Amino acid sequence: MIKVLKPGLQTTVQDNGRNGYYALGMPPSGAMDKFSFLAANLLVGNDENAAVLEATYLGPELEFQTDAVIAIAGGEFPPKVNGQCVPLWTTLAIREGDVLSFDFVKQGARVYIAVAGGIEVPVKMGSRSTYTLCGIGGFEGRALQKGDVLAIGERTGPSPVEGTAVPVYLRMKFSKSNEIRVVMGLCSYRLTEEARRKFLSIDWTVTPDANRVGYRFKGEPLDFVPRKQPFGAGSDPSNVTDLGYPIGSIQVPSGIEPIALLHDAVTGGGYVTIATIISTDLNKMGQIKSNETVRFVEVTLDEAIEARKELNAKLDEIKQIIS
Amino acid sequence: MSEQAVISEVPGVFYRKPSPDEPVYVEEGQKVKAGETIGLIEVMKNFYEVTAPADGTVKAFKAEEGDVVDAGQEIAVIE
Amino acid sequence: MAEQKTSSTRYELGGDEFIFVELSESMNLEAMFKGMAITNGLAEEKLDGIMDICPGNASYMIRLNPEVIHPQEVIEKLKKLEASTTDYENIAIESRVIDVPVLFEDPWTHEALMRFRKNHQDPDSTDLEYCARINGFDSKQDLIRSIVDYPFLVSMVGFVPGLPFTFQLTSQEKQIEVPKYVTPRTFTPERAFGFGGAFAVIYPVQGAGGYQLFGTAAAPILDVQQQLPDFKESMVFPRQGDILRYRDVDRDEYDSIRQEVEAGTFRYKTEELSFTPGEVMSDPQAFAEKVMRRLYHD
């Protein structure tokens, strides 16, 4: 068992996500940075879909009431066991009574804490991920609170030896200014040529309105091609007849402050969507903090698929090193 | 008297007032108790309280109303 | 090779995992029924790598795993499906007709809409009064009557889990159309009955929203704990293709339904109905009468 001494700012149980229920209006949830999530699970010998803890901006303080094997990966939140610094991206042995805590975040936005055996919470619609809006999944459908006690699942295999690490060149890298690759499309026909150019050329600043639902950006207004609004859409030029929103899609309500929809997002609505963040770059997006900047870079579908292959090759390399 | 820094635990936007039309939580030179709220950090659509780490007097604020602060940044000094 | 018939349909990529297909920019019954036929056709093919098929209002969306099936391949398949979906007017839809009790002008949405008056086009009237006026009704009662007179078809489920977008099965000139709030509200009560664009919705959970608020549904459409009998198989009740008849109830009936919900005994009055899109589009009035008979007399 793991006792929550301090919950952090928003710490939730997440796995690979609740996939297959999009048509019911259920977003997938799941780890925002799947790369770090997966690396943490690999470092403790878990199944790739085992549930972990995802902490945002402020790490939790956890008391282990049993011996355990853990790994911490993702943003640079310097971890400590009983006050002593321990390394990130590394297999760690924990003794009963040890307390895991974190120093202030240095880089990145989210850190993943994997425990051999996984965090044991009930599976809801195929997943252990927390979706707080409806109180589904995770630990009682909500972020952790002080005093919660988490169960650890059965181990499915041996863990790598203590000290096994993901080499530095394979770890997530962070920056205060970021390039995020997008495929233009969806209703981008609504943008004027100038707005499209502007969207792809300016630095967008992440506002404090940035969480698992989505990130809102500040920049410059984007104009739409004038039209008589079609029946059923609504009167604002940014309104469309309500439609589905992909994960990673970028919408522009009223032409100001674009919003990138992420893993706990609404699945549809009536705002024009203009582009979609490619799946590999959602990991990076999930590690960007308020007030950092993003530049959206257009890529083709083939380039997006190539990026998936590169990411999978990187994960395969990690698997080779660990096993 | 020893000085103690008040550190922001989270990154976000710093405010000294509970809301724009209200007075500040504490003025410089005012006495505070350990655990007393001296400001807020806006983060992820929520507000996170910044509290005094010890009893003492607020000597100075190191961040202004509306400043963007990093986690670990010094916000005030208590003496 | 024969050239494929050109259509105005837009096939768009949503990154590497999504395909978005816009059949029409405006809402209409043809686009909705055609989308239903195409998405049903795709579901029947049971292709590996298709993760989600999400019918929309005048569009639809597919989520896929590009490691299993290439998005371009799926787009080609969808174009062929569209080209072969010529007879959708005559394809029978196996549907449910459902009686949905609504308390119009209830105290909870009234409190919410008054709180957000400055977000609204017309701060001096209520949402119902404003929408009645801009749709040319003499009174808000006339607007309510026009909502309850003709049934609505669930054209899309989404936004949040279980929220049904419903489009009225009536002729185009009788369709109600209202704008969304100028600035969205940060609060909408649970089970609020709203109207935006050409769609009536029920908000499953409390949260943000931009639709005009007319009332509150007595029974839930999302039951996360799955305690009510209608929710045993799924926590979400409405399905795309369902026909909802919104029925105005008074406060006494509303309260008694609430008691049944609290006691865990409430069940929606539901009947099976097979119909064709052609039947609806050629004579909406006759179809509405058929729905009412099926629901309340047969």
Side-chain angles (χ1 to χ4, degrees):
Chain A
M1 302 290 241
I2 302 168
K3 188 171 176 191
V4 178
L5 303 180
K6 286 184 187 168
L9 190 63
Q10 197 206 22
T11 304
T12 53
V13 177
Q14 298 293 345
D15 62 12
N16 218 7
R18 186 168 288 108
N19 294 304
Y21 299 97
Y22 220 85
L24 296 182
M26 183 81 68
S29 303
M32 292 270 277
D33 169 6
K34 295 269 177 5
F35 178 79
S36 301
F37 155 79
L38 201 50
N41 266 335
L42 291 170
L43 282 165
V44 297
N46 276 350
D47 286 347
E48 293 187 7
N49 194 28
V52 307
L53 296 179
E54 176 186 274
T56 305
Y57 290 164
L58 179 67
E61 196 171 304
L62 305 171
E63 182 188 275
F64 285 80
Q65 299 177 334
T66 172
D67 291 357
V69 174
I70 71 166
I72 303 153
E76 201 186 330
F77 292 59
K80 292 175 182 171
V81 173
N82 303 327
Q84 299 293 307
C85 290
V86 292
L88 286 158
W89 302 90
T90 303
T91 307
L92 305 171
I94 294 288
R95 299 269 156 260
E96 183 182 339
D98 283 354
V99 173
L100 173 69
S101 62
F102 292 87
D103 217 334
F104 304 126
V105 55
K106 294 227 160 32
Q107 290 194 90
R110 292 182 168 81
V111 73
Y112 294 87
I113 307 157
V115 183
I119 302 294
E120 185 57 50
V121 292
V123 175
K124 191 84 182 172
M125 298 169 90
S127 169
R128 293 187 168 87
S129 289
T130 317
Y131 174 45
T132 53
L133 182 81
C134 290
I136 293 167
F139 187 86
E140 297 180 1
R142 58 168 172 80
L144 298 186
Q145 292 171 2
K146 185 180 173 176
D148 287 346
V149 178
L150 304 167
I152 300 171
E154 288 287 319
R155 291 163 74 149
T156 49
S159 297
V161 295
E162 189 181 350
T164 304
V166 173
V168 173
Y169 74 95
L170 288 171
R171 298 179 187 178
M172 274 308 262
K173 294 186 183 48
F174 309 100
S175 166
K176 293 207 181 293
S177 53
N178 300 274
E179 286 193 349
I180 292 287
R181 291 170 289 184
V182 299
V183 174
M184 295 301 287
L186 307 175
C187 302
S188 63
Y189 65 86
R190 291 289 301 123
L191 290 177
T192 63
E193 266 310 307
E194 196 220 335
R196 188 190 164 98
R197 255 197 315 276
K198 205 193 274 181
F199 173 69
L200 292 167
S201 61
I202 70 168
D203 282 329
W204 295 94
T205 304
V206 178
T207 68
D209 187 359
N211 54 28
R212 290 185 47 87
V213 172
Y215 275 44
R216 187 188 282 264
F217 301 90
K218 257 202 180 79
E220 292 173 34
L222 299 176
D223 291 329
F224 300 109
V225 177
R227 68 167 174 184
K228 182 182 178 293
Q229 278 297 93
F231 175 78
S235 51
D236 191 275
S238 68
N239 284 152
V240 290
T241 297
D242 293 57
L243 42 74
Y245 295 152
I247 294 299
S249 63
I250 297 168
Q251 56 174 254
V252 199
S254 303
I256 52 166
E257 301 199 347
I259 300 170
L261 294 176
L262 300 172
H263 297 78
D264 285 2
V266 291
T267 63
Y271 286 118
V272 63
T273 48
I274 58 168
T276 310
I277 297 170
I278 67 173
S279 57
T280 53
D281 285 16
L282 290 173
N283 301 328
K284 197 181 193 178
M285 195 71 235
Q287 291 291 3
I288 295 173
K289 286 194 288 290
S290 300
N291 217 44
E292 295 177 349
T293 63
V294 166
R295 185 167 293 204
F296 296 111
V297 177
E298 182 178 9
V299 294
T300 63
L301 173 61
D302 287 339
E303 287 167 319
I305 288 176
E306 194 52 41
R308 276 178 87 103
K309 285 186 186 145
E310 283 165 20
L311 186 76
N312 286 337
K314 219 167 140 180
L315 285 166
D316 285 341
E317 200 177 336
I318 293 176
K319 285 178 201 168
Q320 293 259 307
I321 291 165
I322 287 174
S323 63
Chain B
M1 288 269 294
S2 66
E3 287 188 355
Q4 198 165 357
V6 184
I7 304 289
S8 172
E9 296 190 306
V10 296
V13 181
F14 175 66
Y15 296 102
R16 285 181 58 188
K17 306 171 183 175
S19 72
D21 343 316
E22 285 179 75
V24 296
Y25 283 104
V26 285
E27 299 283 0
E28 289 180 353
Q30 204 175 315
K31 280 195 164 33
V32 290
K33 294 244 175 274
E36 191 176 329
T37 303
I38 65 158
L40 296 174
I41 307 282
E42 186 187 5
V43 53
M44 292 196 293
K45 277 183 165 178
N46 283 307
F47 291 92
Y48 188 83
E49 290 183 349
V50 180
T51 54
D55 292 359
T57 304
V58 178
K59 196 178 163 199
F61 275 95
K62 302 277 183 171
E64 300 290 326
E65 183 81 1
D67 275 3
V68 173
V69 297
D70 280 328
Q73 187 174 325
E74 195 178 350
I75 295 219
V77 181
I78 289 182
E79 183 174 71
Chain C
M1 269 205 353
E3 196 148 293
Q4 271 188 12
K5 207 180 132 204
T6 53
S7 84
S8 60
T9 305
R10 287 194 178 92
Y11 289 85
E12 297 278 344
L13 294 166
D16 45 319
E17 290 192 356
F18 288 86
I19 292 165
F20 169 72
V21 182
E22 190 178 58
L23 295 157
S24 165
E25 286 180 34
S26 66
M27 184 59 198
N28 55 75
L29 288 170
E30 290 85 342
M32 183 183 68
F33 284 129
K34 196 171 171 187
M36 275 179 81
I38 295 168
T39 50
N40 286 336
L42 181 68
E44 276 166 24
E45 295 204 17
K46 295 196 189 330
L47 294 179
D48 281 344
I50 302 290
M51 296 168 71
D52 292 286
I53 300 174
C54 311
N57 293 313
S59 60
Y60 63 89
M61 194 168 76
I62 310 293
R63 187 181 187 197
L64 52 83
N65 178 350
E67 263 105 48
V68 181
I69 190 161
H70 196 283
Q72 271 319 333
E73 191 186 324
V74 179
I75 288 180
E76 290 317 310
K77 182 140 296 232
L78 293 170
K79 284 184 175 169
K80 281 199 188 110
L81 265 171
E82 186 190 354
S84 66
T85 306
T86 49
D87 193 31
Y88 67 92
E89 293 97 330
N90 297 318
I91 300 171
I93 296 170
E94 302 306 322
S95 175
R96 307 183 292 180
V97 286
I98 301 154
D99 171 78
V100 180
V102 177
L103 178 63
F104 286 91
E105 298 195 279
D106 65 294
W108 310 284
T109 58
H110 185 76
E111 195 275 330
L113 68 91
M114 291 313 285
R115 181 139 60 102
F116 292 97
R117 227 54 223 137
K118 64 180 190 330
N119 301 33
H120 196 270
Q121 287 83 357
D122 183 356
D124 297 325
S125 50
T126 65
D127 292 10
L128 204 55
E129 286 161 359
Y130 166 75
C131 294
R133 190 171 70 242
I134 63 163
N135 277 279
F137 292 103
D138 291 335
S139 68
K140 54 190 180 184
Q141 283 73 25
D142 287 352
L143 171 57
I144 294 169
R145 197 167 310 126
S146 86
I147 291 170
V148 302
D149 272 357
Y150 288 86
F152 286 69
L153 192 117
V154 178
S155 46
M156 168 171 161
V157 178
F159 181 62
V160 293
L163 182 141
F165 286 89
T166 66
F167 185 61
Q168 198 163 27
L169 297 174
T170 185
S171 54
Q172 192 78 29
E173 64 279 6
K174 281 197 180 164
Q175 287 282 348
I176 299 157
E177 193 189 19
V178 301
K180 296 156 191 172
Y181 270 45
V182 177
T183 317
R185 294 175 305 272
T186 52
F187 171 80
T188 308
E190 177 185 308
R191 286 178 286 108
F193 176 84
F195 219 108
F199 303 102
V201 304
I202 297 168
Y203 287 89
V205 288
Q206 175 185 315
Y211 276 31
Q212 308 281 338
L213 297 178
F214 293 172
T216 291
I221 47 166
L222 173 74
D223 176 6
V224 171
Q225 306 302 332
Q226 297 184 265
Q227 279 163 348
L228 292 173
D230 285 329
F231 296 83
K232 285 287 171 259
E233 279 168 35
S234 170
M235 64 172 79
V236 166
F237 182 66
R239 301 198 285 252
Q240 203 236 9
D242 281 347
I243 294 170
L244 308 188
R245 194 268 165 146
Y246 299 115
R247 181 166 60 85
D248 55 332
V249 296
D250 59 20
R251 183 62 194 262
D252 286 347
E253 184 173 357
Y254 177 90
D255 287 339
S256 80
I257 294 169
R258 288 308 302 156
Q259 281 174 8
E260 285 178 50
V261 171
E262 298 301 325
T265 56
F266 175 82
R267 281 194 113 112
Y268 278 103
K269 181 170 175 53
T270 303
E271 299 290 341
E272 306 289 320
L273 179 76
S274 177
F275 71 95
T276 65
E279 191 183 344
V280 180
M281 292 188 290
S282 62
D283 193 347
Q285 177 140 10
F287 184 73
E289 284 162 11
K290 179 175 168 179
V291 167
M292 298 295 185
R293 267 201 315 278
R294 189 87 190 90
L295 205 44
Y296 305 113
H297 300 294
D298 282 2

